[in-house]
Amino acid sequence: MSFGRKPSHDREPAEPAARPWRSLGMIANSMLILLFVLPIVTSASIFLAVNFQLWKGFGSFDPLSWRIERAHNENGVVSGDDPEQLKALYRKLQSMTASRDAAQRSDAVHIVFQFFEDRAPHRRVNLDLSDIGDAAAVFVSDRPVMWGIEGAAGIRAKIGFEGPFAFDLDNAHDGLLAGFRVGVFGAGGTASPQDYIEFRKGRAQMHTVCSAVLRWQRYFGVDKTRVFVWSVRNAQQIVVKDRSVLVDGRSNPDFRGIARTCTRWN
């Protein structure tokens, strides 16, 4: 016995046959997709193929060469310096540079601004490090210098260099060099002896010099009270001692008070 409405035994109505316009719509949508996608795929393929051929035609990108050439021509004037020779010199000096951990073992740093009054395109200066003790020294020169190293046996990360011009080391062992910042190698904002001369003339020069002084103070990890600045002219031999710098037998302290001024900066 059942309650409620009598169940119906009629069949459900059949789905109407698919209308032809649905198939046509699907075909039309597919054609539209092809019309939009095919040009994009074709263009991307051509772009990749052309650039692959160009990439094969050029040498690999060399960041060092790019930095040197940019610094070399930054004023729009091409000089006679050979970027390939500068690159080789950079790599030689980099291979001679100790780790920063080794530089952090110093307890004082001498910043030496070096001037030459002749017209020689480059100079040679003998650098005696036999009495440097626990100090380090950074040299800022107004032209390229070949440094003849003396008395450096067994010491590491004792000397650094900054300035617009390249430098080279003679009779130096690997690890003696603590670091360098050189304009022709691509470093920006390097200090120069001219900035030292014009230290009191403008804030820009003061900022450049003090930035260099404090940068090396932090690099060597010494206290600000252990930073000494020296002015050197026409040196043929420089002797770096623990607490002084002698130039051809004379001491040339900084009478401008740059070390005292810069170490007050934050």
Side-chain angles (χ1 to χ4, degrees):
M1 181 179 293
S2 63
F3 298 91
R5 297 180 57 187
K6 182 179 180 180
S8 173
H9 297 288
D10 295 336
R11 293 183 178 179
E12 294 291 334
E15 286 290 331
R19 296 189 179 97
W21 60 267
R22 289 188 178 180
S23 299
L24 292 175
M26 293 176 63
I27 295 172
N29 287 335
S30 300
M31 294 298 294
L32 287 173
I33 291 172
L34 287 175
L35 287 174
F36 281 108
V37 173
L38 189 59
I40 296 174
V41 173
T42 303
S43 300
S45 300
I46 294 173
F47 176 80
L48 292 173
V50 170
N51 280 274
F52 178 72
Q53 294 300 322
L54 290 174
W55 176 78
K56 289 200 304 183
F58 291 106
S60 59
F61 175 68
D62 186 344
L64 175 58
S65 293
W66 179 78
R67 289 203 312 271
I68 289 175
E69 290 176 7
R70 182 186 64 176
H72 187 61
N73 303 323
E74 65 179 353
N75 295 321
V77 177
V78 178
S79 69
D81 298 321
D82 184 349
E84 289 300 316
Q85 290 182 355
L86 289 174
K87 184 168 68 171
L89 177 59
Y90 175 93
R91 288 177 171 162
K92 170 194 170 183
L93 295 171
Q94 186 180 44
S95 70
M96 300 174 68
T97 304
S99 67
R100 184 172 182 177
D101 289 342
Q104 296 274 312
R105 299 168 189 169
S106 302
D107 72 348
V109 58
H110 302 287
I111 312 294
V112 183
F113 289 89
Q114 180 170 244
F115 308 84
F116 295 101
E117 296 173 332
D118 58 25
R119 296 181 177 273
H122 52 81
R123 293 290 298 266
R124 180 184 175 92
V125 178
N126 294 325
L127 180 60
D128 188 343
L129 303 175
S130 55
D131 293 325
I132 195 170
D134 292 328
V138 176
F139 299 91
V140 185
S141 299
D142 67 354
R143 69 190 62 187
V145 176
M146 170 64 80
W147 296 89
I149 306 300
E150 302 172 2
I155 62 177
R156 290 178 59 80
K158 287 295 184 181
I159 53 176
F161 297 89
E162 179 161 339
F165 301 104
F167 69 96
D168 202 355
L169 302 177
D170 183 28
N171 196 35
H173 58 267
D174 290 353
L176 175 64
L177 186 57
F180 56 90
R181 296 188 73 254
V182 174
V184 295
F185 291 153
T190 57
S192 71
Q194 190 65 30
D195 294 318
Y196 172 88
I197 293 174
E198 299 177 354
F199 183 75
R200 301 291 182 185
K201 291 185 178 180
R203 187 166 182 82
Q205 292 86 346
M206 183 179 295
H207 180 270
T208 299
V209 171
C210 286
S211 294
V213 169
L214 296 179
R215 182 185 300 114
W216 288 107
Q217 173 255 326
R218 290 189 298 268
Y219 188 82
F220 284 103
V222 304
D223 188 83
K224 288 183 178 181
T225 61
R226 309 298 293 163
V227 178
F228 307 98
V229 176
W230 307 83
S231 172
V232 170
R233 290 184 181 273
N234 304 319
Q236 295 182 358
Q237 183 178 47
I238 297 177
V239 179
V240 181
K241 295 181 176 291
D242 193 29
R243 298 294 178 266
S244 64
V245 173
L246 300 179
V247 182
D248 299 326
R250 306 183 309 275
S251 177
N252 293 273
D254 167 41
F255 294 107
R256 297 170 184 262
I258 288 178
R260 186 168 56 254
T261 300
C262 291
T263 52
R264 290 175 182 170
W265 287 31
N266 294 324

